[in-house]
Amino acid sequence: MGEELKVIIFGLASEYYGVEVDKVRTIERMMPITRVPKTPAFIKGVINLRGVVIPVIDLRGRFDMEQAEATENSRIIIVAVNDLEVGFIVDSANDVIDIDSDAIDTPPEVIGGIRARYLRGVAKLNDGRLLVMLNLAEVLNKEEIVQIEQFED
């Protein structure tokens, strides 16, 4: 048995993704997002969360998925990536589960069009669903982190 990981499950399109609870600061309902000029299309802008300006990324856009309107279930998951707080827009944030780290397999090259560098692995859940574990450090590459850090000044 490997170590137990606490994971937040969220949905994008018909897929389920996971991110470790210790990387998640908070999960928020959708709120007004201020667009920032000259940023990639998937960077939706910034939000003011309790006095802190946080950049927001549309994960559908990041992964070149079809865009969708926000719904009642849409959420912004605030995560910490390399000392930077970033919000990810997801279709839904479902629940928190425990996964044995041994249950996480190396990802194939592409899953649902998402390149392997964004993925930490794939876990098979007890109910038969596959859970794609994100590699948060890769979801934001270095140049994008530099761009985002500029709007925090």
Side-chain angles (χ1 to χ4, degrees):
M1 288 283 285
E3 62 177 307
E4 284 280 302
L5 293 176
K6 273 208 178 312
V7 174
I8 291 181
I9 297 178
F10 64 89
L12 278 181
S14 59
E15 307 289 323
Y16 291 98
Y17 297 84
V19 64
E20 293 98 329
V21 168
D22 63 359
K23 305 246 187 331
V24 175
R25 297 279 190 253
T26 176
I27 299 174
E28 303 290 332
R29 291 185 174 277
M30 291 302 289
M31 60 184 68
I33 297 172
T34 304
R35 185 89 182 108
V36 176
K38 297 187 175 102
T39 55
F42 63 85
I43 297 179
K44 287 299 174 201
V46 294
I47 57 173
N48 182 340
L49 186 63
R50 294 181 272 286
V52 178
V53 174
I54 297 177
V56 176
I57 290 176
D58 183 347
L59 275 189
R60 278 179 173 257
R62 181 65 176 124
F63 296 152
D64 295 322
M65 298 168 110
E66 187 179 325
Q67 292 299 299
E69 289 297 312
T71 68
E72 183 63 33
N73 293 327
S74 297
R75 295 290 181 267
I76 300 175
I77 299 178
I78 310 295
V79 297
V81 183
N82 302 329
D83 299 327
L84 177 69
E85 285 194 348
V86 179
F88 289 137
I89 298 174
V90 300
D91 295 347
S92 61
N94 303 6
D95 41 12
V96 177
I97 61 167
D98 291 318
I99 295 179
D100 186 319
S101 61
D102 290 346
I104 300 173
D105 294 328
T106 307
E109 277 306 301
V110 172
I111 294 183
I114 299 173
R115 292 191 296 283
R117 72 183 185 111
Y118 297 140
L119 309 177
R120 178 174 158 200
V122 178
K124 188 177 239 168
L125 303 181
N126 294 338
D127 61 9
R129 290 183 300 178
L130 289 180
L131 182 67
V132 180
M133 298 294 296
L134 290 186
N135 176 347
L136 291 180
E138 282 298 327
V139 171
L140 288 176
N141 70 34
K142 297 275 184 275
E143 297 82 57
E144 290 155 354
I145 290 171
V146 166
Q147 269 191 320
I148 289 172
E149 283 173 336
Q150 287 170 351
F151 20 102
E152 295 193 321
D153 294 337

